[in-house]
């Protein structure tokens, strides 16, 4: 089981980003964690090894990443997976047939698909509700509910759930409180401090930050949960390779720096877009016009580089996404390069159209992942694409 090192907790976030979970390698003193590209380890005798037996179960490069992100989130244990979805699947298989989950209606489309199309077949049940309202969430809880699953800010509507209120609700009903912190990252939002039992990441996004690997991370505080997740992780085997762990670990070293730039660029672009006549609405929690701006200021220390805009029609959305030059039209988010996407046909195509419409995820909605380029160049690119 990969436990965050206690000595790392004394450091600030930027120091932990660089050092937590790693120290210079003992053979040559390499300052970066080596890529332990091996499937197995020599054993000295039956039952006698150096704590490493087989690489599905344990790998030193993976452990370094697991310790690093666990420390960044303020958790006790970290578990790396071959994708964010691999981590989410593992967390949901903590449950058993007959259990019920209350989940945000506006979670990532793949999360919704996993729950609605696969896990319901295996006997789990789900209520997808508007997690902006703690009352609505409370009403959806039944005697069979075991888990509360939130994404905040949500993908792509940028809605928030009140983490402290949800944490209290989960505690009072003895529910596992799971938070997908992919959008905000531990730099801007600390779900464990608000009572989350489990924090999830698609490391593919901001934690890696360079769009060169796919991965997931699950962080927990409770030792009993960590035991169960370890058992599922090694039994199912949805683990990442050491090279991908190393890339993610390289990414986390600069996470605090990158997030500052994503945030600065995101704020400027959100403001600029809100006064553009072709843009009907901007969804960004850092704007005073965002209906949950006060909550955003309370529970986030920055707002990041994710935002969505409503252009009014599929035709206008299509025009814009095909005209940008610096904003590449692509799935994914959180990399140093800016991306533009059309959630209705890309990331959220798996969500039933009626549900998309009901939450305002229209065909005219365009999502931006604002990178760390010069913001004036990004604005010029958006300007020519909208004109
Ligand atoms: C918020 C969020 N959670 C989870 C995932 C799934 O992660 P992955 O693509 O690494 O499986 C995504 C992917 O876009 C996401 O945006």
């Amino acid at each position: 089981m990969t436990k965050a090192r206690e000595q790392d907790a004394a450091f600030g976030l930027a120091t932990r980003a660089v050092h937590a979970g790693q120290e210079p390698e003992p053979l040559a003193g390499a300052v970066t964690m080596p890529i332990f590209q091996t499937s197995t380890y020599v054993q000295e005798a039956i039952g006698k090894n150096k704590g490493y037996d087989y690489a599905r179960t344990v790998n030193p490069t993976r452990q370094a990443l697991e310790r690093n992100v666990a420390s960044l989130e303020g958790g006790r244990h970290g578990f790396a997976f071959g994708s964010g979805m691999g981590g989410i699947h593992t967390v949901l298989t903590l449950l058993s047939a007959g259990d019920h989950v209350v989940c945000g209606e506006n979670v990532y489309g793949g999360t919704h698909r996993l729950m609605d199309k696969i896990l319901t077949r295996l006997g789990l049940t789900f209520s997808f509700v508007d997690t902006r309202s703690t009352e609505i969430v409370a009403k959806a809880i039944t005697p069979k509910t075991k888990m509360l699953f939130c994404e905040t800010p949500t993908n792509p509507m940028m809605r928030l759930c009140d983490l402290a209120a949800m944490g209290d609700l989960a505690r009072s009903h003895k529910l596992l409180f799971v938070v997908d912190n992919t959008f905000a990252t531990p730099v801007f939002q600390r779900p464990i401090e608000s009572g989350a039992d489990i924090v999830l990441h698609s490391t593919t996004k901001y934690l890696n930050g360079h769009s060169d690997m796919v991965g997931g991370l699950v962080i927990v505080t409770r030792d009993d949960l960590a035991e169960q997740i370890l058992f599922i992780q090694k039994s199912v085997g949805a683990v990442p390779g050491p090279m991908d762990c190393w890339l993610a670990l390289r990414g986390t070293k600069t996470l605090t720096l990158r997030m500052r730039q994503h945030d600065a660029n995101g704020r400027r672009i959100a403001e600029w877009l809100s006064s553009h006549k072709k843009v009907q609405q901007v969804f960004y929690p850092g704007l005073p016009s965002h209906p949950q701006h006060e909550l955003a200021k309370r529970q986030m220390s920055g707002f990041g580089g994710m935002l969505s805009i409503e252009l009014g029609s599929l035709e206008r959305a299509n025009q814009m996404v095909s005209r940008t030059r610096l904003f590449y039209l692509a799935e994914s988010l959180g990399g140093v390069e800016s991306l533009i996407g059309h959630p209705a046909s890309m990331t959220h195509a798996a969500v039933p159209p009626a549900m998309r419409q009901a939450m305002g995820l229209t065909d005219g909605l365009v999502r931006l992942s604002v990178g760390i380029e010069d913001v004036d160049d990004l604005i010029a690119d958006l300007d020519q694409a909208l004109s």
Side-chain angles (χ1 to χ4, degrees), residues 181-308:
N181 204 24
T182 297
F183 267 36
T185 82
V187 177
F188 292 143
Q189 185 165 271
R190 322 275 319 154
I192 286 175
E193 288 162 22
S194 300
D197 300 294
I198 302 180
V199 176
L200 297 167
H201 278 279
S202 166
T203 47
T204 319
K205 311 298 186 317
Y206 285 113
L207 295 194
N208 163 269
H210 295 76
S211 307
D212 53 15
M213 51 73 73
V214 171
L217 226 304
V218 173
I219 302 102
V220 300
T221 48
R222 282 172 30 196
D223 294 345
D224 62 323
L225 278 180
E227 292 284 357
Q228 293 175 56
I229 291 176
L230 176 70
F231 185 74
I232 300 170
Q233 187 196 38
K234 74 174 180 192
S235 303
V236 175
V239 292
M243 176 77 190
D244 284 347
C245 292
W246 187 86
L247 286 167
L249 197 54
R250 186 173 61 171
T252 58
K253 288 184 203 295
T254 56
L255 182 68
T256 54
L257 271 180
R258 284 186 284 108
M259 291 313 291
R260 243 180 270 151
Q261 194 60 35
H262 284 295
D263 183 56
N265 286 0
R267 289 178 200 229
R268 264 286 299 283
I269 288 179
E271 269 167 35
W272 180 82
L273 285 166
S274 31
S275 58
H276 198 288
K277 59 181 187 313
K278 296 251 175 77
V279 177
Q280 296 180 356
Q281 213 177 337
V282 181
F283 303 91
Y284 184 69
L287 285 177
S289 58
H290 189 284
Q292 294 173 292
H293 182 57
E294 288 309 312
L295 172 62
K297 284 197 289 187
R298 221 168 45 240
Q299 73 180 19
M300 302 174 78
S301 55
F303 309 111
M306 294 305 301
L307 59 98
S308 296

Side-chain angles (χ1 to χ4, degrees), residues 83-85 88 108 151 155 180 182-183 202 204-205 214-215 333:
S83 68
M85 291 315 305
I88 293 172
Y108 166 60
E151 214 179 276
N155 181 359
D180 186 331
T182 297
F183 267 36
S202 166
T204 319
K205 311 298 186 317
V214 171
L333 61 104

